[in-house]
Amino acid sequence: MADEARPIIIKRVKKVSGGAHGGAWKVAYADFVTAMMAFFLMLWLLNATSKDQKKGLADYFTPTTASTESSSGSGDILGGVSLNTDGAQDSAVTVSIPNTAAEATPPKDAEEEAKSKEEEFEEMVAKKEQSYFEEMTDDLKTAIQQNPELAQLKNQVLIDITEDGMRIQLVDKDNRPMFRPAKADLYNYAEKMLKQIAKVVIKMPNRISISGHTDATPFSGRSNYSNWELSADRANASRRVLSESGVHSGRLAEVMGKASTEPLLPDQPKRAENRRITILLLRESPTLPAGFM
């Protein structure tokens, strides 16, 4: 038996090529995806970082800037850098990526912005007009005081600034009326006062409202003629004087008679002061906020 020859066993290895069922393409595809991800990450970093941050990134990945002063472990070329050493702190690069979504201020709505600018402009115009009214008030008072004849009437000229505009009122007194009794004829001094007022009115572009007022005493001088007709005729007579003094007729917004419906002294409706002419320079701008005047 010892001399018997051992059987010879032959192993045949069948080689099968990968072909379409191999996995080599998956590795190549994974490398491609990784490279593309790195490429787009680089593009995002270039767009999202500042110039100083880009420089920090470049320095971080530059081999020559690696710190070799402090090391740990064996201290050879593969020795790690200790985070507690100054060297590690010096070589560390902190990159701050701006949060553009949080820091970006949402743009103001165009309509809202236009409305805000319009309101600012209207307020500016209103303040300018208010200042002009105050200036003209001072000019008119000064002109009346400097005229000896008109200075005697200064207590009968009431000037104030209301929400509707600059109001000038020529008021009667018991011993000094503006019109002849029961008529629409102006006295000479009243006509001169209206001409002086016209000099101020001419300087301003505002439209004008003229209204006549009477006291509460019923009119009995003529038939079919009342305080309504009398107040309207006196307002129209005042309009004629202003027009003859150079005030353009196109600026007249209204001329009306109000009889005794708006007394200057409501508690004393028959007092002479209720007989008056009101010249109102209408505001062309929106009313100023409450409390401005």
Side-chain angles (χ1 to χ4, degrees):
M1 294 293 292
D3 295 334
E4 290 182 3
R6 293 183 178 181
I8 299 174
I9 300 173
I10 300 175
K11 294 182 179 181
R12 298 182 180 275
V13 180
K14 185 177 181 180
K15 295 183 179 180
V16 180
S17 60
H21 302 284
W25 68 272
K26 298 180 180 179
V27 177
Y29 180 73
D31 291 342
F32 172 75
V33 171
T34 302
M36 290 300 293
M37 181 183 69
F39 175 70
F40 286 113
L41 179 61
M42 180 190 68
L43 293 180
W44 176 74
L45 285 173
L46 289 175
N47 183 59
T49 56
S50 63
K51 183 178 180 181
D52 293 337
Q53 292 169 344
K54 291 185 181 71
K55 185 177 184 304
L57 286 171
D59 292 342
Y60 180 77
F61 289 105
T62 302
T64 56
T65 60
S67 174
T68 57
E69 295 179 358
S70 300
S71 61
S72 62
S74 61
D76 57 12
I77 192 171
L78 297 178
V81 178
S82 174
L83 293 177
N84 294 327
T85 62
D86 295 338
Q89 295 173 3
D90 293 340
S91 61
V93 177
T94 302
V95 179
S96 176
I97 307 299
N99 187 355
T100 55
E103 296 178 0
T105 303
K108 185 181 290 186
D109 183 75
E111 184 177 353
E112 180 182 351
E113 185 175 356
K115 183 177 180 181
S116 177
K117 289 183 178 179
E118 182 179 355
E119 290 176 353
E120 291 178 2
F121 177 75
E122 289 179 352
E123 184 176 353
M124 179 188 69
V125 172
K127 289 181 178 180
K128 184 68 175 178
E129 187 176 54
Q130 177 72 13
S131 176
Y132 204 41
F133 280 156
E134 294 173 356
E135 181 182 347
M136 292 298 101
T137 299
D138 294 338
D139 289 348
L140 181 56
K141 289 180 179 179
T142 301
I144 293 173
Q145 291 175 356
Q146 290 178 349
N147 188 314
E149 185 177 2
L150 299 181
Q152 301 176 8
L153 303 175
K154 64 180 181 180
N155 294 331
Q156 292 178 247
V157 181
L158 306 180
I159 308 172
D160 60 347
I161 300 174
T162 70
E163 292 184 355
D164 296 324
M166 178 180 173
R167 183 173 60 184
I168 307 169
Q169 300 186 90
L170 277 68
V171 181
D172 278 10
K173 291 288 185 181
D174 289 333
N175 58 346
R176 194 186 294 272
M178 293 293 170
F179 293 87
R180 299 185 185 278
K183 294 183 179 180
D185 299 332
L186 283 158
Y187 283 104
N188 289 334
Y189 54 80
E191 186 173 345
K192 289 180 180 180
M193 180 63 74
L194 281 172
K195 290 180 178 180
Q196 185 63 52
I197 294 173
K199 293 180 181 179
V200 173
V201 172
I202 289 174
K203 299 178 182 179
M204 305 179 71
N206 304 66
R207 294 180 302 148
I208 303 168
S209 171
I210 304 174
S211 58
H213 305 265
T214 66
D215 57 26
T217 303
F219 184 85
S220 59
R222 294 162 51 183
S223 60
N224 298 324
Y225 195 87
S226 66
N227 284 335
W228 288 103
E229 286 80 12
L230 180 61
S231 60
D233 288 345
R234 287 180 172 180
N236 201 35
S238 301
R239 175 198 62 80
R240 284 194 294 268
V241 174
L242 293 179
S243 297
E244 291 169 1
S245 301
V247 178
H248 195 276
S249 59
R251 292 180 54 194
L252 293 170
E254 55 189 6
V255 179
M256 54 189 169
K258 294 191 175 183
S260 59
T261 58
E262 296 180 5
L264 184 63
L265 303 175
D267 296 335
Q268 299 173 300
K270 294 186 178 182
R271 284 284 301 269
E273 288 82 351
N274 293 310
R275 301 192 300 266
R276 67 196 190 278
I277 293 295
T278 299
I279 301 171
L280 180 64
L281 277 72
L282 299 170
R283 287 188 184 276
E284 301 296 339
S285 61
T287 304
L288 288 172
F292 182 82
M293 297 183 294

